[in-house]
């Protein structure tokens, strides 16, 4: 099977270290034994390594055993009683849920290319919070972080910026100004089940969870996963240009080989490895099955493949066709021949399904 | 005006049935599509953009579609 799913196996170096880490890193770092001392050292080294890889100070890193809790912790930790939350129509549902539960929130629309217009932030005022997505996991569309953060802070002098970098990983640097950011270890081929949160030193963040001591976060993460994640990040290298070249070939091949296809976002304004295609008159679930029979695994944002049978809120916000959708993630291992084969399989599958 | 009732049918069937029906019509003629699939509200404008036919929502679960004029 050729893997074009968003998920990929652990980086080989991270996999190798994981089992050893379970042997070496099982001690509770809080205790006073020699093993605990070693576990503390492993934890500190891993935190320093991850901080260096993400371009933040080690004391700004917090690690979570429940990744999706990170969105709540960062946003809720910065929110003030008078704050309005600005978020976008393409944000993750977890973020939209937090914003919609708050007393005052503004949903920012996106244009057909998936971009937020900075002028939509004109109503922002002091103490407001901007939940800003670095890039979208479904379409790969990257926001113009520099312009958006600049515009927000020109309106909201004491405002806070919380970045969702879960899809970005190391493909892009943090912007010059930020207060909180959340990452997903899987974006650099680290293990799942680990959330990485960065909270800017000196920021006004306060732990929103009930707590007695001074810890910022619950500290209930797995040390072996942290070590494995740090090793994965150390071994991660950018091959963005090669991935972008493969994405370009894929998009060109589909444009020329299949009629009536919507492609979400421009390649130059997107992550280099994420591609989203919607084929008119085709059912997404059938397309997934047809491709799997031909040996290709892809994701879909079509309603018929969603648990709640609702169309993708991201594609809907962009005005993109929501049925017949496939999301193709290109990985480091993907070759030019794989892309050619996938184009051929898509052409055949779409043609067959349209005839039915 | 011709009506196509796609109540209970999921994506992309309402769009496929509307498209088949409009092929049999002349340029400028209209039909009404009835669909309770939430994807239709999003996909019909996208279909219009891709095919050049006009469409708009006229009531809850009801859409008017007009075939593009041919030269």
């Amino acid at each position: 099977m050729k893997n074009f799913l968003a998920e990929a196996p652990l980086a080989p170096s991270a996999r190798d270290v994981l089992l050893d880490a379970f042997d070496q890193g099982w001690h509770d770092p809080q205790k006073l034994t020699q093993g605990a001392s070693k576990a503390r050292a492993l934890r500190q080294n891993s935190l320093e390594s991850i901080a260096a890889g993400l371009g933040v100070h080690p004391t700004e890193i917090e690690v979570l055993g429940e990744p999706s809790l990170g969105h709540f912790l960062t946003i809720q930790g910065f929110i003030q009683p008078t704050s309005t939350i600005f978020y976008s129509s393409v944000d993750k549902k977890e973020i939209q849920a937090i914003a919609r539960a708050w007393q005052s929130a503004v949903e920012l629309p996106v244009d057909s290319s998936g971009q937020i217009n900075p002028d939509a932030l004109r109503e922002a005022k002091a103490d407001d919070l901007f939940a800003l997505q670095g890039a979208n996991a479904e379409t790969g569309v990257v926001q113009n972080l520099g312009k958006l953060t600049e515009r927000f802070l020109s309106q909201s002098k004491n405002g806070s910026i919380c970045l969702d970098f879960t899809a970005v990983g190391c493909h892009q640097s943090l912007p010059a100004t930020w207060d909180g950011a959340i990452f997903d270890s899987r974006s650099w081929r680290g293990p799942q089940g680990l959330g990485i949160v960065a909270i800017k030193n000196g920021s006004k963040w306060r732990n929103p969870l009930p707590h007695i001591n001074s810890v910022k976060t619950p500290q209930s993460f797995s040390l072996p996963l942290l070590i494995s994640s740090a090793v994965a990040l150390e071994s991660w290298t950018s091959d963005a240009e090669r991935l972008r070249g493969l994405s370009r070939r894929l998009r060109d091949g589909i444009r020329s080989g299949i009629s009536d296809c919507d492609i979400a976002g421009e390649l130059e304004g997107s992550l280099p490895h994420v591609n989203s295609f919607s084929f008119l008159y085709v059912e997404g679930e059938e397309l997934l099955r047809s491709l799997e029979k031909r040996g290709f695994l892809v994701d879909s944002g079509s309603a018929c493949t969603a648990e709640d049978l609702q169309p993708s809120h991201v594609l809907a916000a962009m005005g993109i066709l929501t049925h017949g959708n496939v999301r193709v993630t290109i990985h480091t291992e993907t070759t030019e021949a794989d892309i050619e084969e996938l184009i051929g399989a898509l052409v055949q599958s779409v043609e067959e399904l349209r005839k039915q | 005006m011709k009506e196509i009732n796609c109540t209970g049918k999921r994506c992309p069937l309402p769009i496929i049935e509307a498209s088949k029906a409009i092929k049999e019509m002349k340029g400028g003629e209209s039909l009404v599509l009835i669909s309770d699939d939430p994807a239709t509200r999003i996909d019909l404008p996208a279909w219009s953009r891709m095919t050049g036919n006009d469409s708009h929502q006229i009531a809850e679960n009801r859409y008017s579609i007009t075939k593009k004029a041919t030269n």
Side-chain angles (χ1 to χ4, degrees):
Chain A
M1 277 296 171
K2 297 284 170 64
N3 179 31
F4 291 97
L5 297 167
E7 304 80 28
L10 275 176
S13 55
R15 185 182 176 279
D16 290 344
V17 85
L18 190 57
L19 287 178
D20 193 42
F22 274 112
D23 287 337
Q24 304 287 326
W26 58 269
H27 292 273
D28 182 351
Q30 309 290 341
K31 295 189 176 173
L32 298 173
T33 61
Q34 283 189 347
S37 172
K38 190 174 178 184
R40 274 197 300 278
L42 286 168
R43 181 178 66 182
Q44 187 56 29
N45 289 344
S46 299
L47 290 174
E48 287 175 7
S49 175
I50 287 175
L54 300 179
V56 303
H57 193 274
T59 56
E60 294 175 324
I61 291 283
E62 291 293 321
V63 185
L64 302 171
E66 173 46 70
S68 56
L69 180 64
H71 297 298
F72 176 83
L73 277 174
T74 47
I75 292 173
Q76 215 66 35
F78 280 109
I79 202 85
Q80 305 291 312
T82 56
S83 297
T84 291
I85 299 177
F86 286 79
Y87 69 105
S88 87
S89 54
V90 294
D91 273 326
K92 280 184 167 179
K93 285 185 176 173
E94 296 100 305
I95 293 173
Q96 296 191 339
I98 295 166
R100 288 171 188 171
W102 184 245
Q103 58 208 15
S104 176
V106 173
E107 183 174 299
L108 306 170
V110 296
D111 61 20
S112 59
S113 63
Q115 297 288 340
I116 302 168
N117 184 341
D119 288 341
L121 293 159
R122 61 185 173 277
E123 302 295 328
K125 57 183 186 346
D127 290 337
D128 283 350
L129 183 142
F130 188 12
L132 175 57
Q133 186 177 72
N136 189 274
E138 277 191 52
T139 61
V141 170
V142 174
Q143 295 296 331
N144 188 332
L145 301 180
K147 278 189 180 172
L148 288 166
T149 55
E150 189 181 323
R151 181 62 195 262
F152 176 71
L153 292 174
S154 73
Q155 302 288 136
S156 179
K157 306 292 181 200
N158 299 315
S160 301
I161 296 170
C162 293
L163 298 165
D164 173 11
F165 258 48
T166 50
V168 177
C170 305
H171 283 281
Q172 198 179 349
S173 302
L174 286 167
T177 311
W178 59 277
D179 296 287
I182 179 159
F183 301 86
D184 186 338
S185 160
R186 287 176 298 178
S187 63
W188 54 81
R189 298 286 287 269
Q192 61 180 337
L194 199 70
I196 311 282
V197 169
I199 297 166
K200 190 93 168 175
N201 284 336
S203 66
K204 58 190 175 190
W205 185 86
R206 296 288 177 272
N207 184 353
L209 298 174
H211 59 286
I212 293 172
N213 56 19
S214 61
V215 294
K216 290 181 177 174
T217 52
Q219 305 291 307
S220 57
F221 60 88
S222 155
L223 181 57
L225 293 186
L226 177 65
I227 296 167
S228 174
S229 178
V231 170
L233 185 53
E234 283 167 13
S235 63
W236 191 88
T237 52
S238 171
D239 55 353
E241 284 317 303
R242 195 185 76 86
L243 296 177
R244 199 177 298 282
L246 293 176
S247 287
R248 187 173 295 111
R249 171 62 197 133
L250 176 64
R251 291 178 182 222
D252 288 348
I254 287 175
R255 273 196 197 99
S256 61
I258 307 175
S259 63
D260 296 324
C261 171
D262 244 355
I263 302 180
E266 296 295 326
L267 180 57
E268 294 311 315
S270 302
L271 294 174
H273 60 302
V274 181
N275 303 276
S276 172
F277 306 98
S278 297
F279 301 101
L280 194 59
Y281 311 130
V282 174
E283 191 185 27
E285 187 178 350
E286 287 181 359
L287 183 53
L288 250 61
R289 286 182 181 158
S290 175
L291 288 171
E292 188 166 2
K293 278 182 193 164
R294 290 185 156 90
F296 299 91
L297 298 173
V298 300
D299 291 299
S300 174
S302 292
C304 51
T305 64
E307 280 182 17
D308 58 2
L309 294 177
Q310 291 296 311
S312 156
H313 72 285
V314 173
L315 298 178
M318 294 171 68
I320 299 281
L321 195 70
T322 67
H323 71 245
N325 177 264
V326 291
R327 186 167 65 253
V328 178
T329 307
I330 298 176
H331 298 288
T332 303
E333 297 83 359
T334 308
T335 64
E336 288 180 24
D338 294 336
I339 294 295
E340 296 303 326
E341 287 174 26
L342 177 61
I343 293 168
L346 272 164
V347 169
Q348 287 179 347
S349 294
V350 170
E351 194 177 321
E352 277 178 16
L353 294 172
R354 281 181 176 165
K355 280 180 185 166
Q356 287 178 5
Chain B
M1 191 183 296
K2 183 173 184 177
E3 280 192 0
I4 303 172
N5 191 345
C6 290
T7 303
K9 293 182 180 174
R10 310 291 304 183
C11 74
L13 289 176
I15 304 292
I16 290 174
E17 292 196 14
S19 175
K20 279 180 181 167
I22 213 157
K23 277 182 186 159
E24 309 299 320
M25 292 162 50
K26 293 176 185 166
E29 287 184 337
S30 300
L31 63 80
V32 169
L33 170 67
I34 304 167
S35 169
D36 57 357
D37 178 6
T40 302
R41 187 175 50 79
I42 302 153
D43 284 355
L44 203 53
W47 173 81
S48 290
R49 170 173 51 77
M50 295 167 87
T51 62
N53 298 301
D54 182 58
S55 68
H56 60 275
Q57 189 165 7
I58 50 177
E60 189 177 2
N61 299 337
R62 290 178 73 87
Y63 305 85
S64 169
I65 301 175
T66 304
K67 184 167 181 170
K68 67 180 172 186
T70 49
N71 295 323

